[in-house]
Amino acid sequence: MTEHSNKPAFVLVQGGWHNRESWRQLMSELDGRGHASVATDLPGAGTDQPPLDPAVLGTEPSAVAGVTHAERTEAVVGAVREAAGKGNGQVVLVGHSLGGATVSAVVEHVPDELKAIVYLAGLMAPDGMSVGELMGHEAMAGSEVMSMLVADPEVVGALRIDAGSSDPDYIALVRSALYGDLTDQQFEMARLCIHNDESAVLLAEPLNITVERFGIVDRHYIKCEAPRF
C-alpha cells in the first residue's frame, strides 16, 4: 500500500447500473500515485439487487423503486468524510455519467470539505433541472441509453436493463451504449460490474445547485470522445 498521508484522497461515484468494482483499475492507479480512494455502492445499486425472472422483466416491480437522490447524497457525504481521514484532509469527488447528478448534490452539502469535483462524462444539470429533463435535451440526442430499457419505468419503478441477457443483439447494444472502446475481454469483465435497475425517481427529482455552495468548489469536466450514453 502506498503512503497516502500527504496527498488528497478521491471519492469515486459510479454511473448508472454500475457498482463500486467498476472503479477497481482506477483505484489501483491512484494508489500507485500516492492517493487513497473510496468507492461505495450507492443506495439501490450494486450486488444487493435480487435476480430478476426473465419471464417477467417487463412487469416485475423493482426492489429499488423509490430510492432518492437524498439517500445517495447522504451515502456519498459519508464517503467524503471517510476519504478525508485517509489522505491529507482534502478530497477530490469524481462522478461518472449518472453519478454526476449525485456529486452535484453532494457539493451543496459539503463544499468546504472538497478540494475539487470532476465530472467524467457526468450528467451536470443546472439548478432546477432534473436528470430526466437533461436526458431529453437535444444535447443528448445521440444517447443509446433509453434504447437499452426492457421495461416501462412507470410500470416497474426503475430504469431496467437486462444485465444477464444472452441475446447477442441486446448485448451488442449494451456494449455500444456503455463500452464502445473496450476489447472483448475488457467488456466481459465490465459486464460483471452492472446490475439491472436504477430507481426511476432519480429521473424526476430536480437538482438544487447554488452559486454560494456549488459555485465555490473547483470544477473539472472530462469529455469522452464518442459517448453514447
Side-chain angles (χ1 to χ4, degrees):
M1 177 69 70
T2 304
E3 176 59 48
H4 301 130
S5 60
N6 297 321
K7 293 186 176 182
F10 283 71
V11 172
L12 307 171
V13 180
Q14 71 268 23
W17 302 290
H18 284 73
N19 65 32
R20 64 182 182 272
E21 290 299 315
S22 62
W23 294 111
R24 180 179 294 276
Q25 186 173 347
L26 178 57
M27 293 177 77
S28 177
E29 181 74 20
L30 288 169
D31 181 71
R33 299 186 181 207
H35 294 276
S37 58
V38 174
T40 184
D41 284 342
L42 297 172
T47 56
D48 290 337
Q49 288 194 11
L52 294 170
D53 182 347
V56 290
L57 274 178
T59 57
E60 182 178 349
S62 175
V64 305
V67 170
T68 66
H69 279 300
E71 292 174 75
R72 292 191 161 189
T73 300
E74 182 179 1
V76 178
V77 166
V80 167
R81 290 172 175 159
E82 176 188 349
K86 292 179 178 289
N88 64 2
Q90 298 179 315
V91 176
V92 177
L93 178 61
V94 182
H96 172 237
S97 191
L98 180 60
T102 299
V103 301
S104 293
V106 170
V107 176
E108 279 292 307
H109 285 73
V110 289
D112 295 332
E113 299 180 44
L114 298 170
K115 176 179 176 61
I117 52 175
V118 179
Y119 293 84
L120 175 56
L123 296 178
M124 187 177 179
D127 180 48
M129 179 178 281
S130 69
V131 170
E133 290 174 313
L134 182 58
M135 290 296 295
H137 191 273
E138 61 183 12
M140 300 292 290
S143 173
E144 295 179 343
V145 165
M146 301 307 285
S147 62
M148 294 193 303
L149 301 187
V150 295
D152 184 340
E154 293 189 5
V155 172
V156 302
L159 304 176
R160 175 168 292 167
I161 64 173
D162 187 1
S165 176
S166 59
D167 178 352
D169 291 334
Y170 182 79
I171 294 305
L173 173 62
V174 172
R175 180 170 184 169
S176 176
L178 301 179
Y179 309 111
D181 60 350
L182 298 190
T183 65
D184 290 345
Q185 182 178 12
Q186 289 171 331
F187 173 60
E188 290 306 317
M189 292 298 295
R191 283 186 67 192
L192 300 177
C193 298
I194 59 177
H195 51 267
N196 291 305
D197 288 356
E198 288 288 347
S199 170
V201 172
L202 300 173
L203 288 185
E205 293 181 302
L207 296 177
N208 177 37
I209 307 299
T210 67
V211 172
E212 295 77 14
R213 299 181 71 79
F214 178 87
I216 66 173
V217 180
D218 191 23
R219 299 181 300 281
H220 306 269
Y221 199 98
I222 299 174
K223 181 178 179 180
C224 296
E225 289 185 356
R228 300 189 186 281
F229 49 82

